[in-house]
Amino acid sequence: HNLFFLKNLLKGNLAATKIQIVPNIVADIFFEPPDKKSPKVGKIELPMKYILFCGRLTPVKGAKELIQAFVLIKSLFPTLKLVIAYPSVQYDQSYFKEIKQIILTSNIRRSVVFLRDVSQKDLVPLYRNAKCTILPSAFEMSPLVVLESLACGTPVIATDTGDIAQTLSYIDPQLVLHNNHPKTIMAKLLYVLKQNKQWREHIKRRAITISTKHQ
């Protein structure tokens, strides 16, 4: 649908320019009915209660600030885990070492799960079973992580950058991060984690509705 719209928009004088269309389309797999089996990623069984970060391990993505926020809320939610799914591409090794040091120093090693190069198929249960997906980036345009998670009916907390605020404000304005300071992230996580089942069902319906516009 988005590709059709862009092609029509670029007709006329723009047709001869060197513009390549890269559609921001959510794959159909993220809209498929839930699998009733025990949620797994490969052979790894997912934690019972976790929040999800899905993105590159580079400073701009805000993973370090998220881990610092996770340290702050861990005492309130002892069984809560943080799952970090990241690709091998654009992997910042020194940044990863910095993150690992915070985890070791804070004694939360058993509460943080790293998953590398997760397939698209395995991303579905990863999104779907998370309490929320969080993307505390300093800069984004229109990240697929947000749309894919919403297509799975899972709320997303993300920084006000690119078109994120417009998307999330339709679902719940409280999901928008106005900065990625650890205490700001902590406050948003607390907001989501303390919500009841009725709120989550309402958010799920709205999330799926807005994500279908990107099919």
Side-chain angles (χ1 to χ4, degrees), residues 15-120:
T17 62
K18 293 182 179 179
I19 296 175
Q20 183 174 357
I21 299 170
V22 182
N24 204 33
I25 295 174
V26 182
D28 290 341
I29 192 172
F30 295 102
F31 296 94
E32 290 178 0
D35 192 336
K36 294 181 180 180
K37 296 178 183 177
S38 179
K40 289 184 179 181
V41 170
K43 294 182 180 180
I44 301 172
E45 192 162 332
L46 293 173
M48 290 292 293
K49 186 177 183 180
Y50 66 93
I51 56 177
L52 173 66
F53 170 90
C54 188
R56 292 178 285 111
L57 286 183
T58 58
V60 73
K61 291 292 186 177
K64 183 175 79 171
E65 290 80 4
L66 171 58
I67 288 168
Q68 290 168 334
F70 184 70
V71 172
L72 295 174
I73 67 166
K74 184 65 178 138
S75 60
L76 300 174
F77 302 92
T79 62
L80 185 67
K81 308 282 186 183
L82 170 61
V83 175
I84 297 177
Y86 67 100
S88 298
V89 294
Q90 298 182 28
Y91 167 70
D92 189 323
Q93 192 171 9
S94 62
Y95 186 64
F96 180 71
K97 287 181 179 178
E98 188 179 352
I99 287 171
K100 292 283 281 188
Q101 189 57 49
I102 295 170
I103 292 168
L104 290 171
T105 304
S106 304
N107 197 29
I108 58 167
R109 183 172 56 86
R110 294 184 178 180
S111 298
V112 182
V113 179
F114 287 94
L115 298 174
R116 191 168 184 165
D117 293 328
V118 178
S119 69
Q120 188 180 68

Side-chain angles (χ1 to χ4, degrees), residues 125-200:
L126 195 57
Y127 285 129
R128 191 167 281 149
N129 291 281
K131 291 296 178 183
C132 70
T133 300
I134 180 158
L135 191 65
S137 303
F139 175 79
E140 292 285 353
M141 291 295 288
S142 184
L144 267 176
V145 168
V146 171
L147 298 173
E148 288 170 353
S149 181
L150 295 177
C152 291
T154 299
V156 179
I157 298 169
T159 323
D160 183 2
T161 177
D163 68 354
I164 288 173
Q166 182 180 356
T167 300
L168 296 185
S169 292
Y170 168 80
I171 298 165
D172 185 336
Q174 291 297 322
L175 297 173
V176 180
L177 276 168
H178 296 291
N179 61 67
N180 67 351
H181 189 280
K183 286 189 177 179
T184 307
I185 296 171
M186 176 191 175
K188 295 297 183 181
L189 285 172
L190 286 173
Y191 172 75
V192 171
L193 292 169
K194 289 182 176 181
Q195 294 296 336
N196 59 27
K197 187 177 180 180
Q198 287 74 21
W199 179 87
R200 297 192 71 85

